[in-house]
Amino acid sequence: MGRTWTALLPTAVVVVVVLVFVLENSRHTRVNVLFWSAALPLGVALLGAAALGGLAVFLLGSVRIVQLRRLASRRSSR
């Protein structure tokens, strides 16, 4: 149970930092993505862009890991 509280503290700090970032960058900006356009607060737009970038890296990395595992299993079965 103590480890849970130890892990929660850094998470809470990150959440507070993100909230401060979003609240400090509340000026609206126009965001255009392909055929979609919206006016969003700058902090939300930046966090969304970072989240989408992280998701893209995660997905591409996952595909590469699956490829390497298949290759390793083929080589070990020989």
Side-chain angles (χ1 to χ4, degrees), residues 5 12 18 24 27 51 54 68-70 72 77:
W5 288 109
V18 167
E24 286 292 322
R27 183 177 47 113
L68 291 172
R69 284 185 179 170
R70 284 183 183 169
S77 66

Side-chain angles (χ1 to χ4, degrees), residues 2-75:
R3 289 184 184 187
T4 302
W5 288 109
T6 305
L8 264 145
L9 182 62
T11 304
V13 170
V14 168
V15 167
V16 168
V17 169
V18 167
L19 282 173
V20 168
F21 174 77
V22 169
L23 292 173
E24 286 292 322
N25 292 295
S26 60
R27 183 177 47 113
H28 277 70
T29 186
R30 170 94 20 220
V31 178
N32 298 311
V33 179
L34 295 176
F35 303 107
W36 180 73
S37 178
L40 297 173
L42 181 60
V44 173
L46 290 172
L47 286 175
L52 288 175
L55 181 63
V57 168
F58 172 76
L59 291 175
L60 291 173
S62 297
V63 168
R64 184 64 180 147
I65 288 171
V66 168
Q67 288 175 340
L68 291 172
R69 284 185 179 170
R70 284 183 183 169
L71 179 63
S73 68
R74 280 188 215 140
R75 287 185 178 179

